[in-house]
Amino acid sequence: MNTLFAVEAVRKRYRGADRDALGPVSLRVEAGRHLAIIGESGCGKTTLSRIMLGLLPASSGSVHYRGAPVHGLRGSAARDLRRRVQLVLQDPFASLSPRMRVGDIVAEPLRILNRGTPVQARVAELLAAVELDPAFARRFPHELSGGQRQRVAIARALGPRPEVLVADEPVSALDVSVQAQVLWLLRRLAEHEGLTLVLVSHDLGIVQNLCHTSAVMHRGVIVESGATAALLASPQHPYTRELLASVPTLPQRPQ
């Protein structure tokens, strides 16, 4: 296996807290193997993803990407990590600047991280990849639906040609009718672009056809992990069974 992320005994305690918000947590992200980090709100999954990205310092433990530590990076090393690992946030309306047109939003990381790339042609290519007409480049985020805004956020993340896409609750702010479309778009793009996907979610149901492996978090620690199919078929931990029981129906691929 080609290990991308190696997380070793990571803990996080916020100032003034009397207990750890996270940890200890250890996990591996292997190239080409999509990983779901699953748990209810407040379980520590978003904190873990921020630490993995180097956006939040750990209180103890370590995170390495391709053998190099992700914290304390400066200059070209930091830019290289940002190019290799991109993030799609939960709320596309909050994550897209309301003052920028869609074309400029998608172009921004290209200008910063992929200098020399033909920007306009790449923006049109990215919008087509997320199934948006190139004419959307002239629109502002408020002129789009929630699903269209999230497609723009995905296009922006794909711009620097990353190796890993971290998607933090990417469909929870969308209408149910749109969620399956965006999830299957993520799967298709991951396959086409050769991406490794790390999906942060509270819902076991939405990851069943998307992620090869899953790690279930509860109260800051991983209580169960393994192949997603096996975990769904025979959950061992009571909390995993509780999560699975809370899914009324598992979404089907849209026709």
Side-chain angles (χ1 to χ4, degrees):
M1 287 287 186
N2 181 8
T3 300
L4 298 179
F5 276 105
V7 179
E8 298 287 351
V10 162
R11 292 180 182 269
K12 179 64 179 179
R13 178 174 296 191
Y14 292 99
R15 182 176 299 177
D18 58 2
R19 61 182 295 270
D20 290 340
L22 178 72
V25 169
S26 299
L27 59 80
R28 293 284 190 276
V29 177
E30 307 293 347
R33 301 288 294 175
H34 305 331
L35 169 69
I37 302 173
I38 305 166
E40 62 189 348
S41 179
C43 73
K45 59 186 188 295
T46 294
T47 295
L48 173 60
S49 68
R50 296 297 188 273
I51 292 173
M52 289 172 63
L53 291 164
L55 301 175
L56 188 67
S59 299
S60 62
S62 65
V63 180
H64 289 76
Y65 185 81
R66 289 194 174 277
V70 304
H71 294 96
L73 296 177
R74 298 289 185 274
S76 61
R79 286 194 298 273
D80 186 57
L81 180 65
R82 296 291 170 260
R83 183 188 64 78
R84 290 172 178 266
V85 184
Q86 284 285 307
L87 174 65
V88 176
L89 293 168
Q90 176 179 1
D91 184 354
F93 196 73
S95 67
L96 304 178
S97 171
R99 296 181 177 85
M100 295 174 68
R101 295 184 187 273
V102 164
D104 293 325
I105 289 170
V106 176
E108 186 175 35
L110 298 175
R111 297 189 174 108
I112 296 171
L113 299 172
N114 286 57
R115 295 173 183 174
T117 298
V119 173
Q120 289 186 337
R122 179 63 173 152
V123 168
E125 177 186 324
L126 289 164
L127 291 178
V130 298
E131 301 173 357
L132 292 177
D133 190 283
F136 276 71
R138 297 189 294 272
R139 299 188 185 184
F140 288 96
H142 73 269
E143 298 177 294
L144 309 181
S145 68
Q148 290 168 342
R149 284 193 290 267
Q150 194 62 299
R151 289 170 188 266
V152 171
I154 293 169
R156 177 179 60 182
L158 293 176
R161 301 186 189 276
E163 298 176 325
V164 179
L165 188 64
V166 178
D168 188 352
E169 298 278 12
V171 298
S172 63
L174 305 179
D175 292 339
V176 173
S177 60
V178 180
Q179 290 181 1
Q181 298 173 19
V182 173
L183 287 170
W184 283 103
L185 174 67
L186 280 172
R187 176 173 175 171
R188 180 179 63 77
L189 290 170
E191 293 173 351
H192 183 266
E193 302 290 332
L195 287 167
T196 298
L197 182 65
V198 178
L199 177 63
V200 179
S201 178
H202 66 279
D203 189 341
L204 267 171
I206 71 170
V207 306
Q208 63 167 337
N209 294 315
L210 194 62
C211 294
H212 302 102
T213 58
S214 294
V216 178
M217 292 192 65
H218 183 50
R219 296 182 178 177
V221 298
I222 294 174
V223 296
E224 185 170 0
S225 63
T228 300
L231 192 145
L232 288 169
S234 182
Q236 301 300 304
H237 194 276
Y239 179 69
T240 309
R241 293 195 290 270
E242 181 181 328
L243 280 180
L244 189 56
S246 70
V247 181
T249 58
L250 300 180
Q252 300 298 313
R253 184 171 186 167
Q255 300 300 316

